[in-house]
Each structure stands twice: as structure tokens, then as C-alpha cells.
Amino acid sequence: MKFGGSSVASAERIKNVADRVKGNGKGHQVVVVCSAMGDVTDELLALCADASKGMEKPVEERLASIRETHLAALTATVSDKAVRRQVLGMLNVTLSQLEKLARGSTVLGELTPRSKDAILACGERLSNPIVMGALIERGMDAVYMTGGEAGIMTDDRFGDATPLMEVTKFQVKEKLAPLLAEGKTPVVTGYIGATQRGDITTLGRGGSDFTGTTIAAAIDADEVWIWSDVDGLMTADPRIVPDARVLREISYEEAGEMAVFGAKALHPRTLEPVAEKGIPVRFRNTFKPEDPGSLVKKNPRLYAKNVVKAVALVKEVAVITVAGASMVGKPGSAARIFEVMGRIGINVLMISQSVSESNISMVVARSSMEKGANALELALLGQGGYRHILTEDDVSAIAIVGGAMRTTMGVASTAFGAISAKRINIKMIASGSSNQNLSLIVAEKDAKDTVRAIHSAFKLDKLNSR
Amino acid sequence: MRLVLAGFGVVGQSFARLLMAQEKELAATYGLVPQVVGIMDSSGWLTDEHGIDLKKALRAKAETGGVASKAGGKEVPRRPTDVIRDLEAEVLIEATPTNFKTGEPGFSHMKAAFESKKHVVTCNKGPLAIAYYALHELARHNGVQLRFSGAVGGGTPVLDFGKTCSMGDKLTGIRGILNGTCNYILTKMEGEGLPFDDALDGAKKAGYAEADPSLDIDGYDSAVKLVITANHLLLSKAGIKDVKVKGIRGMSAKEVQKAKKDGKAVRLIASASRETGLTVAPTLIERDHPLCINGANNAVEFECEYSGPKVIIGKGAGGPETASSLLRDLLEIRGRINGPAEAIASYRMSGVGGG
């Protein structure tokens, strides 16, 4: 079971987490993985920024606030004195390390990636012992450990480390299987691993979910439950489409596509370790213990008739178009364009070029549009085939996600029909060769209407009502 | 090339003797001048950055049972993994007693070696059977090599032969005799009409069986070797638990004799194929089949889709035999560091001239 930051944001919520572990986990062997409390990771990031600028006063204030938050949470969560003392011991070790790291960096006015990871990891190292305390108080035999102690070994890329999967699976199994067999409940920090030398690393965004699925793959878990404050994966963002539905079943590939397009609950690589072994992942709401949530699994049967499963809106994007008639039939034109984008570190979300080859359009995050267009201008204009560079920043990307879309007749026509019925113009189309996704670009002002039109055209609002 | 030798039992000592015996040949033909800078056994460590005098180390081992005490080097009272990590060397030779349950201490030794960018040569089956992919991942992550031809077949290059057979072809099945002790016992039962227990006693007296022979006769040694072979050659993700194992303990003499009368023989056959999975079991085979060998030997057949079956036969265990595998692996690594050596007489001299 993995619990996100909002699920452990306060003493009340931590108690609720402990109830979920004890109640919903009854009859199962459970490994618990938790994120840092609420916005503590953001606080630690701010602390890092302050420390690297040598700003002593804000650093001290943040340290005090972090200490205060966790000690208060402990007091309010755990009432048994002996247990509280045990947890307090753990918190003090981490807090004093955190203070040393932060002050050391402040004095130097410099923060290496390695020290930054050691600081960021403190959020999880402070929340998980409190959860452990709450579990012990409920009569469970809980044991706390960091991801590294549990056996998660990563490469040396601090800040965005990748586990050495085979080593990790071997070590985690060796470590956790005997504990589970003894009836213990391991409580493992999410988001954290360690290099082969034992230095703490962090797994980047979505790291805690990744910890959960990695551990699941290692111990051959029956299921992974990812608890948060939403009901599960949805057909659309309910703020845009009020009658969006929870997807009760969905495949790994579909969920993966949804993750790429910003499904809040999920990071793209989260499902990798479990998809290989076919371990199902259930997304559940901490406050609805009876609700089964969304199940991501191999070969889901439930919505066999629905080709399209979800519509996502990707906001804050922009289109850059490079045009020029002499690009036609000139090998290497596209390569030069993307080489420029790659060199300046801009991620290209979507690409489109017609057979006439007279222009190439690409979608990028809106914040990097100017930078990208400028670099293309400097590198390409005035040379040979490239004529002009056009930008559009009043656009949105829409992703239609579902299994076997490209090989099913009529998906595009249903979507385009619904969109044109609303008199909305489609500016750009790309169909991933993954067969799971059809992406469109429309004017930003039309984006929400487009999502709603597609959602109802594929009858997603009627899902689960049979 | 500087070596650390973890494990100084039968195989480790044989390896040291082989290095001494082949010294000139190694330098002249392969450009390999091995220097053992650390030896570990149950008594502790003997280290010498200038190279241990192997003759002295062997003598100390023979006289005192341990290498740490009296061989002229200095004792190191530290954790083996720390010593392996800190010693400056290119290769760890891992030949400690094997453990089929945890893979320790071999696994930790290799991990420490990889972390400090040392290549690993081993004949230690336990860690390979339990953590095959983990060990390879660690080697790759650190840009060093892991070689283990001595883990299966002793001195007979079963794994390398199988790899060569499978290149560009498709290996569809592997089956063979991977445990010489069992084969010795079965041969004795067959040839001399002995009951199982007497044949086992004979194997003990001849030095082929351990005082506790259960790993051999219950089939686990074969199973572990099969797992390593299948992982290496069929890329199966198998563990020891995935093998259906039946040993030869209590094998009936009658059955063995009946087989003999029918022109067949009972052999403990380990088999891996995509259809039947991994099995180890006493199996009837035709007397004239190439796998049907006698005595403490190994024989393995590789079935290839395009080029047909091939069999390799040789001694399956023993100190000098396994040591020769370790040396072979070491030479492979040496060759890859600088390209295969040209066959010219090249020596590294010490105490001569200025160098």
C-alpha cells in the first residue's frame, strides 16, 4: 500500500492511514510506503534554494517549521509514551542530520546534487516513522526503514535516480520477505533509494508510487494499492467534464498513456515494474475505504466495448511551425530542427508533417516556446530551405486514450464529427504508433468544449451505469 | 594484473598452484603477469601490495590450516567486503564455499568488487543461481566483467560451448549430467551390482562425495547448475524453486540392473526446455546415447534448431579442473582489456634495469 503526501498531511490523516492499513489490509501481508507529509517536500526544496544562496535566516525558519510540524504530528498521532519515545528517537536522528546538512550548505552557499538529495529525502524519513508509530499503537508489528535500507539500489544520478532493477528486486526480496513471513509490517520511505556506496538518492517525480510498484515486483505482491484523495483514474478531469466517470478497469498501456497526459494520480514509469509481471494496481481514495477505485491490470474485460477510455486536456502548450518550400525532398531537414530542440533541452510533445514536406509543426510546453523559436531562428533561418518560423501560443493539446484505437474503424471519424458539430477547428493531428492515443491541437478557447464533445461522443458519461 | 583471491580451499589452492606452474606460459603467450595481492580464507586475510609469495601462502595453509597467520604478509582484521573494496586490484577471484540459500558471503564479495570497479571471476554457484541477473546488472553498471565458466562443468567449458552453439542459431533444449558424484554412484551400482548405500560409501572413499552428500544425491547441486545454465543460455528468469527436483537417494539396485538388461542406463539428468521447464530426475537413457557416460564425469547436450544436437563431455569437478576454468576466465578478461595478446615473448621484469 502506498500513501501519497495528502494522505499523511496531518495527524488525523496519518491515523486514517493506519486505519486503512489495519482495516483494509486485514488478512493480507502488507508493505506500507508513504510520501512526505503534505507540502513538506516543497518546503525542503525551498530550503535547498535558500541554503544554496547562503540565506541563513530563512533556512533557520524553515528548519524550525519542519521540526515543529513533525513533532506536533507525532504528539497528536501517537499517545502511547513508549512508542512515542521510539519514534521521537528516529525523528531526532533525521532532524539533526537535516539541520547539519542545511547549515553546512548555507555556510558554503553551495548545494551539491548529492547533498540536495540527502535533504529532500528527509521528508519521507520524517513522515514514515510517525506512520510506523500509529501502526504499532494499533497493535501491528511495524518496522521502519528507508528505501535504501529496504534494498532499493540506484544509479548515481542524484535528483532523478533510476533503480538498478535486478539488484533492487533481489535485495528487496531478501530483506522484506522474511519480515513479512514473521508477520511484520515494513514501513518503507517512498521516493528514496541509495547508490551502491550507500549515498541517499531520490527517484524524481512520482518517485513514491515507483517505490511502491518496485517493491511489489520484488516481493511478487498480489496487488498494489495506491491511496490518495481522489476516487481513481477518471475518463476526464471532473472540473472540465462534470459527469466524468471513474474507470473501474483499465490496461497498463492505457493507464500509461493517461499518465503521460497528466493524469494527476500517476507518473508514466510507475507501472513499468508491475506491468512486466502482471501485478494489478488499484488506485483508491483514502477516505472511501469501501470504494474499490480503479484497477489497472492485464487484459481488462470490463469495458470491452469501449475503445476510447479517456480524454485528457494538456494545457499550457504551444505550436512551433517551421516552413519553407525548399525543405521538400531534402533529407535531413527534420533532423536539423529536432537537433536544435534537443541541444537546448526542449522536450517536444507532438510532431506533425504532411507528405508535401513544406512545413513541420511541433508542440512544446508553452513556457519554452520563445526559447525554442528563437533557437530555431538563429540556427536555421537564412539558410537554404527554411523560410519562416511561426508560433501559436493560444492552443491546447487534447489526448484521446484507449486500447486498439488505430486499428479500430471509426474512432477518428466519431471524434472529428463531434468536434466539427461544435464548429471547432482542429489545427493539428498526431496518432501515436502505440495505438493507444490520438492527439489533437485546438484553439485554447475551444479546448474544454472539445473535451466535453469527445467525452459524450464516446458515451463516457454513461460508463458504469449499466 | 593484480588479483584478490577470496576463498583458499581446494579450488583456491589449486588456482594458486596453477598460476605458479603456468607462470612463464601466461606471460609469454597472453601477456598476463598475475600478482595476488590478497588472499582470504576462514582464518582472515593475507595481503601484500607487492604480490604474495604463493609458495609461502600454500605452505602456511598446509601447516596451520589458515593463511592469515604466518605467511609473511600482514593480518587484516577487517570485514572482507571492506578489504575487497579497498585493495587495489583488477580482478576478484571468488571461490568461497557456496551457499544455495542466501548466496552469501559470495554475493557480498562480488558486490564489493563491482563497486570498486573490479572484474569478477567465480566458480561460486549459489550467488549465480540466486542472483544471476542482479550480479550481471551490477557488473554492467560498473563497466566490468563477470565470468563464471567454472560454475558449471568444473574444468569442462559447458557454458562457453553452449554459448557458441547458440550463436545465430536457436537453442531449443539443454539436457545433461551435471553432477559427477551421482554419475559415479550410478555407474558403480550398474557395473558392480552394488546397492545404493554401498556405492555411496565407495564414492566417499574415492573422494568424490562429501561427508554430507545430500546436496549431490538429492539433486540440488544439479538443479543449481541447471538454473545457471538456463539463465545464461536460454535467458530464463528461473530460480532454484522453479526446478522440479528428484535426486538419486535410495535408488533401487533392481531398477538399475533392469535398465542394464534392456540396453539402457539410469542417469541423473538435468533438463531445460521452453516446453517442459526445468527438471532434475533419474532418467532412463539408451546405453549408446552420447550422454550415457560413466564415472565422475559431466556430459551436456545442446539441442539447436538449425544445427542439431551437440554434446560436450569432460570431468565435472575437482580442484585443478575448476582452477583451470578460473584461469581461462581470467585470460578472457585479460584479452578484453587490451585486445587478445600477440603470441610474442613479452615479460614484465622486476628488479632489472631501472623499471
Side-chain angles (χ1 to χ4, degrees):
Chain A
M1 292 190 197
K2 180 262 166 182
F3 295 90
S6 64
S7 301
V8 291
S10 66
E12 276 319 301
R13 291 189 172 202
I14 292 176
K15 286 185 198 168
N16 186 46
V17 161
D19 290 337
R20 292 290 71 76
V21 173
K22 179 151 190 184
N24 293 70
K26 202 168 181 188
H28 301 286
Q29 292 177 334
V30 181
V31 177
V32 179
V33 174
C34 296
S35 301
M37 286 178 72
D39 52 9
V40 167
T41 301
D42 291 336
E43 184 82 1
L44 289 168
L45 275 168
L47 173 76
C48 287
D50 291 342
S52 64
K53 289 180 208 136
M55 292 161 66
E56 210 171 300
K57 196 157 167 258
V59 165
E60 288 304 326
E61 283 167 8
R62 290 190 199 280
L63 285 173
S65 134
I66 288 167
R67 175 179 279 275
E68 175 65 24
T69 305
H70 290 94
L71 295 186
L74 170 61
T75 313
T77 307
V78 180
S79 47
D80 183 286
K81 278 216 177 92
V83 179
R84 199 187 283 177
R85 207 175 309 123
Q86 185 191 348
V87 176
L88 187 62
M90 293 174 171
L91 297 191
N92 277 332
V93 169
T94 302
L95 285 167
S96 94
Q97 282 177 6
L98 171 63
E99 283 158 7
K100 275 184 204 145
L101 278 162
R103 284 173 190 149
S105 306
T106 311
V107 170
L108 292 169
E110 182 193 15
L111 191 61
T112 63
R114 180 173 150 186
S115 312
K116 187 172 176 183
D117 268 9
I119 290 179
L120 292 179
C122 289
E124 276 72 10
R125 291 175 61 199
L126 291 169
S127 64
N128 281 276
I130 305 177
V131 173
M132 178 202 75
L135 291 173
I136 292 176
E137 201 165 62
R138 279 160 183 73
M140 299 184 72
D141 193 355
V143 280
Y144 159 79
M145 65 193 79
T146 65
E149 286 161 353
I152 297 177
M153 186 195 276
T154 72
D155 61 14
D156 298 348
R157 277 223 341 230
F158 294 100
D160 190 19
T162 303
L164 299 178
M165 258 309 163
E166 296 296 338
V167 183
T168 294
K169 282 194 277 192
F170 173 70
Q171 295 191 145
V172 168
K173 187 175 187 180
E174 292 288 302
K175 173 84 184 192
L176 296 189
L179 295 176
L180 291 168
E182 287 167 28
K184 291 191 160 66
T185 304
V187 178
V188 185
T189 59
Y191 182 57
I192 302 177
T195 67
Q196 57 185 345
R197 283 174 301 281
D199 298 328
I200 284 187
T201 50
T202 63
L203 303 178
R205 271 192 52 212
S208 286
D209 288 351
F210 197 47
T211 303
T213 50
T214 299
I215 290 176
I219 60 171
D220 274 314
D222 296 323
E223 269 188 32
V224 182
W225 293 351
I226 295 183
W227 296 88
S228 67
D229 53 2
V230 296
D231 290 347
L233 300 172
M234 307 205 51
T235 54
D237 184 341
R239 284 166 303 183
I240 299 171
V241 184
D243 44 13
R245 297 280 182 242
V246 173
L247 289 157
R248 293 290 170 216
E249 274 188 18
I250 183 171
S251 73
Y252 295 110
E253 295 77 15
E254 290 164 340
E257 288 289 339
M258 289 174 69
V260 174
F261 290 97
K264 183 190 165 198
L266 191 58
H267 189 272
R269 65 180 175 172
T270 302
L271 297 170
E272 259 173 47
V274 283
E276 192 187 328
K277 289 198 165 185
I279 299 171
V281 180
R282 199 179 280 285
F283 291 85
R284 313 183 66 167
N285 188 331
T286 329
F287 297 100
K288 296 184 183 170
E290 305 304 326
D291 190 321
S294 296
L295 187 65
V296 180
K297 58 184 283 208
K298 209 183 240 175
N299 304 323
R301 313 279 311 160
L302 188 57
Y303 305 126
K305 284 187 194 134
N306 297 74
V307 177
V308 169
K309 304 285 165 55
V311 192
L313 171 60
V314 188
K315 285 184 276 192
E316 299 294 319
V317 299
V319 177
I320 303 177
T321 301
V322 181
S326 351
M327 277 161 58
V328 177
K330 197 170 163 198
S333 310
R336 282 193 67 190
I337 294 172
F338 296 113
E339 197 264 317
V340 171
M341 301 303 271
R343 201 175 53 220
I344 58 174
I346 291 183
N347 187 28
V348 177
L349 302 172
M350 193 170 149
I351 299 166
S352 154
Q353 180 192 28
S354 70
V355 158
S356 80
E357 300 179 50
S358 58
N359 54 58
I360 292 178
S361 296
M362 69 202 102
V363 177
V364 299
R366 197 172 293 165
S367 55
S368 44
M369 181 190 78
E370 292 298 349
K371 185 178 168 194
N374 181 58
L376 287 169
E377 174 200 316
L378 292 175
L380 304 177
L381 283 195
Q383 290 201 17
Y386 307 97
R387 261 276 136 66
H388 32 244
I389 289 163
L390 309 166
T391 56
E392 285 179 273
D393 64 356
D394 52 352
V395 295
S396 294
I398 291 174
I400 308 174
V401 175
M405 285 204 329
R406 211 160 43 98
T407 43
T408 307
M409 304 271 273
V411 173
S413 77
T414 305
F416 297 162
I419 297 166
S420 69
K422 298 267 173 194
R423 308 204 63 74
I424 293 169
N425 183 33
I426 302 171
K427 292 171 175 281
M428 187 171 156
I429 302 166
S431 162
S433 43
S434 74
N435 205 3
Q436 313 275 340
N437 170 348
L438 179 66
S439 302
L440 315 167
I441 295 291
V442 297
E444 187 166 33
K445 65 177 172 49
D446 297 330
K448 289 181 180 176
D449 283 338
T450 310
V451 170
R452 287 189 275 261
I454 296 170
H455 195 267
S456 73
F458 288 102
K459 302 191 171 59
L460 292 175
D461 49 339
K462 304 287 194 300
L463 222 57
N464 306 333
S465 60
R466 277 157 295 170
Chain B
M1 192 145 75
R2 295 167 297 182
L3 316 178
V4 179
L5 182 50
F8 207 48
V10 177
V11 173
Q13 293 175 59
S14 299
F15 180 71
R17 282 190 205 101
L18 188 58
L19 287 183
M20 292 191 297
Q22 289 283 79
E23 187 185 354
K24 290 215 167 84
E25 169 76 11
L26 292 176
T29 312
Y30 303 99
L32 177 72
V33 182
Q35 257 188 319
V36 179
V37 294
I39 299 179
M40 186 206 85
D41 68 4
S42 51
S43 71
W45 277 98
L46 166 66
T47 64
D48 187 340
E49 60 185 284
H50 302 296
I52 292 166
D53 182 338
L54 294 176
K55 215 181 268 170
K56 274 192 198 162
L58 284 164
R59 200 182 311 129
K61 181 78 180 180
E63 282 165 7
T64 67
V67 79
S69 41
K70 267 202 219 157
K74 45 183 187 274
E75 286 178 48
V76 188
R78 297 171 57 205
R79 286 195 314 182
T81 46
D82 290 337
V83 181
I84 290 172
R85 201 176 291 121
D86 294 346
L87 271 175
E88 276 196 39
E90 281 71 42
V91 183
L92 169 71
I93 312 283
E94 220 295 334
T96 57
T98 200
N99 179 324
F100 292 173
K101 289 214 169 64
T102 64
E104 295 294 359
F107 180 76
S108 295
H109 291 170
M110 295 185 211
K111 200 170 136 183
F114 290 138
E115 187 195 320
S116 50
K117 316 291 180 200
K118 292 178 182 71
H119 305 286
V120 171
V121 169
T122 186
C123 54
N124 193 340
K125 294 170 289 223
L128 286 164
I130 294 169
Y132 183 88
Y133 291 97
L135 286 168
H136 279 80
E137 188 178 45
L138 281 172
R140 202 165 50 245
H141 177 61
N142 289 294
V144 291
Q145 297 182 55
L146 166 63
R147 302 196 74 92
F148 48 92
S149 71
V152 180
T156 312
V158 172
L159 295 173
D160 293 341
F161 180 70
K163 198 83 182 177
T164 307
C165 290
S166 69
M167 282 173 82
D169 202 325
K170 202 170 132 199
L171 209 50
T172 51
I174 300 167
R175 58 182 204 138
I177 294 160
L178 296 176
N179 184 281
T181 307
C182 290
N183 212 57
Y184 181 87
I185 293 171
L186 291 170
T187 309
K188 282 280 165 197
M189 289 177 73
E190 187 181 86
E192 299 171 20
L194 296 177
F196 175 80
D197 290 332
D198 293 1
L200 174 58
D201 283 344
K204 280 185 193 167
K205 284 200 190 94
Y208 290 121
E210 306 282 324
D212 174 11
S214 26
L215 286 178
D216 289 325
I217 65 174
D218 289 334
Y220 287 103
D221 179 72
S222 298
V224 163
K225 289 171 177 166
L226 181 65
V227 166
I228 298 169
T229 309
N231 286 352
H232 187 58
L233 299 175
L234 298 175
L235 305 180
S236 52
K237 292 237 166 183
I240 300 169
K241 285 195 195 98
D242 301 314
V243 189
K244 267 183 259 156
V245 189
K246 187 166 180 265
I248 62 162
R249 187 192 287 270
M251 187 78 212
S252 107
K254 238 191 227 162
E255 223 173 290
V256 174
Q257 289 309 320
K258 179 168 186 315
K260 190 178 173 185
K261 230 189 304 168
D262 298 345
K264 293 180 178 161
V266 179
R267 291 291 180 265
L268 184 65
I269 299 285
S271 149
S273 77
R274 291 204 166 80
E275 294 75 44
T276 58
L278 305 184
T279 58
V280 172
T283 308
L284 274 180
I285 55 174
E286 297 294 331
R287 188 67 252 183
D288 54 5
H289 191 284
L291 277 186
C292 192
I293 47 157
N294 292 332
N297 287 309
N298 280 192
V300 185
E301 180 183 53
F302 296 97
E303 182 68 49
C304 301
E305 188 171 329
Y306 300 100
S307 58
K310 298 162 195 75
V311 177
I312 183 169
I313 298 171
K315 276 190 85 175
E321 290 82 358
T322 307
S324 76
S325 282
L326 296 176
L327 182 54
R328 208 162 50 220
D329 284 345
L330 186 63
L331 289 172
E332 278 290 334
I333 289 173
R334 175 67 186 91
R336 288 196 187 191
I337 287 176
N338 211 5
E342 294 163 33
I344 49 162
S346 56
Y347 286 89
R348 187 178 122 181
M349 313 283 272
S350 65
V352 180

